[in-house]
Amino acid sequence: MVDYTAFDSAQALEYVKNQTNFFAPEAELTCYEFGDGNLNLVFRVHDEQSNSVILKQALPYARCVGESWPLTLERARIEASVLVRHGEVCPQTTVKVLHRNDALAITVLEDLGHMQILRAQLCEGHTYTNLATDVADYLAKTSFYHSDFYLPPAQKKALVTEFTNPELCAITEDLFFDDPYRYSERNNYPDELQPQVTALQNNQAVKLAVAELKAKFLSCAQSLLHGDVHTGSIFVDQTNTKLIDPEFGFFGPIGFDLGSFIGNLLLNYCAQHKRITELPKRRDLHAYLLNTIQTCVAQFEQTWLHLAKTQSQDLSLQAEGYAERFINQVLRDAYGFCGTELIRRTIGLAHVADIEDIENPVARLEVQKQALLLGEQLILQAPHCNTKEDLSQLLISLLL
Ligand SMILES: Nc1ncnc2c1ncn2[C@@H]1O[C@H](COP(=O)(O)OP(=O)(O)O)[C@@H](O)[C@H]1O
Ligand SMILES: CSC[C@H]1O[C@H](OP(=O)(O)O)[C@H](O)[C@@H]1O
């Protein structure tokens, strides 16, 4: 087995040239690193005709912090394996794995450079008609086909072991469920937000509801999640949607991925109050974001229930009303997790460009306050909603 070494551009190029056959032996290749995520190296290797592949390599530490935050290379294996599994049930919406080398923590991926990262596009006010249904399809199928409702019991349990991802899950446990609700050196927010943060950290009802969500995240191995469905992990164009970067994948509560996605749309919603000054344009974008959330939730529910009725051997789903009861709980969880995403992206370690790029600090502060309040109310009130219609009404009332 080859010993791990972190690549530079020359080594990435040599690897693609000598260890894969994507390019003809005589091709003149060029390579550069352009990763902008928090954790890994991302190289593009291309020839003179602009044929290209992406080589992603995990570092033995978190890129955004440096060697003082060591991190397992196992995350490359997890990421490639989740992509393969999710790609089997959702080939249209999952980036293709072309080659992998777990010892070197390398995954070679199809190059999606002809598409755009959703976060940047939403920040610029672009909209995508298929986004809601594509993401709903991905979330419903990946979650149903990796759940106990579909997999034979022994296979499901073996997969839970294969996808145990303790180090990456610990990051989520800290950043989503612990840090924002206590003093932590990792927290990051302006002094002016301190009164609201202190109130949040003293709010026992919020802490109780977050404790419930954390318990679910820790011990509810419902299905194989992507684990980090934010708008920076989604490539889009007007016809396609592709999910990348599931290195936080593990068997967890189904609502977590849907909640993370909705949370990122809502962060953008809050930011648009200050990003777009023309009222009609802002109204249109707000309407688009709200509609995307509602359509995604409704489509997710519909597809999931259809799969539950047509693809499951599990006797429990034959109990009248059980599938509906199950999915209603998933949706409540999703809105709760969504609230934790809003809060951790506002006052925790990892922020989002939607808010950070607002230049005027006063305007940015207003957005941060709104995101915090929205997150808090979703966490508190979602558990009391019965259906997706109630959840949608709750959201509308909070956005007014
Ligand atoms: N398959 C791909 N095609 C084109 N660009 C990609 C691809 N995968 C990643 N990238 C680029 O690299 C960046 C970081 O990738 P990502 O997987 O999010 O890394 P990290 O794991 O460090 O968060 C993305 O924002 C995107 O610009
Ligand atoms: C130190 S990890 C912080 C944060 O980064 C991850 O996102 P990405 O790698 O896609 O930028 C994930 O959301 C983690 O919570």
Side-chain angles (χ1 to χ4, degrees), residues 195-257:
Q196 215 180 324
V197 172
T198 303
L200 176 79
Q201 292 180 345
N202 289 328
N203 187 328
Q204 297 310 312
V206 172
K207 286 183 156 185
L208 210 54
V210 171
E212 302 252 21
L213 290 163
K214 183 180 175 189
K216 262 197 183 136
F217 185 85
L218 286 167
S219 53
C220 217
Q222 287 175 339
S223 193
L224 178 58
L225 308 188
H226 175 289
D228 195 19
V229 182
H230 61 84
T231 47
S233 297
I234 302 177
F235 272 95
V236 285
D237 62 23
Q238 289 303 340
T239 36
N240 287 305
T241 310
K242 299 269 183 191
L243 276 285
I244 63 165
D245 198 19
E247 72 199 299
F248 285 79
F250 78 115
F251 273 78
I254 292 173
F256 185 76
D257 280 349

Side-chain angles (χ1 to χ4, degrees), residues 98-354:
L98 304 175
H99 170 95
R100 65 191 284 182
N101 183 326
D102 293 347
L104 285 170
I106 279 172
T107 315
V108 181
L109 301 157
E110 68 173 313
D111 189 352
L112 300 175
H114 56 288
M115 300 172 78
Q116 311 292 331
I117 289 283
L118 176 60
R119 188 184 303 287
Q121 296 305 105
L122 291 178
C123 286
E124 285 179 19
H126 299 296
T127 59
Y128 295 87
T129 319
N130 300 332
L131 176 67
T133 48
D134 285 351
V135 173
D137 193 67
Y138 169 85
L139 295 176
K141 287 182 179 158
T142 56
S143 66
F144 176 80
Y145 285 117
H146 293 95
S147 73
D148 285 298
F149 298 118
Y150 183 76
L151 292 171
Q155 193 188 345
K156 157 78 182 337
K157 288 167 183 76
L159 284 174
V160 172
T161 305
E162 184 185 333
F163 285 94
T164 297
N165 194 0
E167 283 193 37
L168 281 279
C169 282
I171 293 178
T172 304
E173 290 148 24
D174 289 342
L175 298 189
F176 273 72
F177 306 113
D178 287 349
D179 285 358
Y181 309 96
R182 62 169 178 190
Y183 169 78
S184 164
E185 279 187 357
R186 283 185 295 239
N187 285 343
N188 170 20
Y189 52 84
D191 290 344
E192 294 82 350
L193 212 52
Q194 189 60 56
Q196 215 180 324
V197 172
T198 303
L200 176 79
Q201 292 180 345
N202 289 328
N203 187 328
Q204 297 310 312
V206 172
K207 286 183 156 185
L208 210 54
V210 171
E212 302 252 21
L213 290 163
K214 183 180 175 189
K216 262 197 183 136
F217 185 85
L218 286 167
S219 53
C220 217
Q222 287 175 339
S223 193
L224 178 58
L225 308 188
H226 175 289
D228 195 19
V229 182
H230 61 84
T231 47
S233 297
I234 302 177
F235 272 95
V236 285
D237 62 23
Q238 289 303 340
T239 36
N240 287 305
T241 310
K242 299 269 183 191
L243 276 285
I244 63 165
D245 198 19
E247 72 199 299
F248 285 79
F250 78 115
F251 273 78
I254 292 173
F256 185 76
D257 280 349
L258 179 60
S260 302
F261 177 61
I262 299 174
N264 277 268
L265 296 181
L266 288 175
L267 285 160
N268 188 266
Y269 189 106
C270 296
Q272 296 302 356
H273 280 297
K274 298 296 167 190
R275 294 188 76 97
I276 297 186
T277 45
E278 301 152 56
L279 197 55
K281 201 165 167 218
R282 193 193 317 150
R283 272 204 198 116
D284 285 353
L285 199 56
H286 275 166
Y288 166 77
L289 289 167
L290 185 58
N291 183 260
T292 301
I293 292 171
Q294 290 167 328
T295 308
C296 184
V297 170
Q299 225 16 75
F300 167 82
E301 182 194 52
Q302 191 184 321
T303 305
W304 202 95
L305 287 175
H306 174 74
L307 292 171
K309 295 215 157 86
T310 58
Q311 302 290 314
S312 181
Q313 308 290 325
D314 187 352
L315 283 181
S316 54
L317 287 179
Q318 290 170 24
E320 183 77 24
Y322 178 64
E324 289 76 9
R325 185 186 294 195
F326 180 87
I327 211 66
N328 276 335
Q329 184 57 49
V330 167
L331 298 185
R332 275 191 289 278
D333 295 346
Y335 275 75
F337 287 126
C338 164
T340 62
E341 174 72 349
L342 282 159
I343 290 174
R344 74 109 178 184
R345 293 290 193 181
T346 306
I347 61 174
L349 171 82
H351 290 200
V352 291
D354 317 47

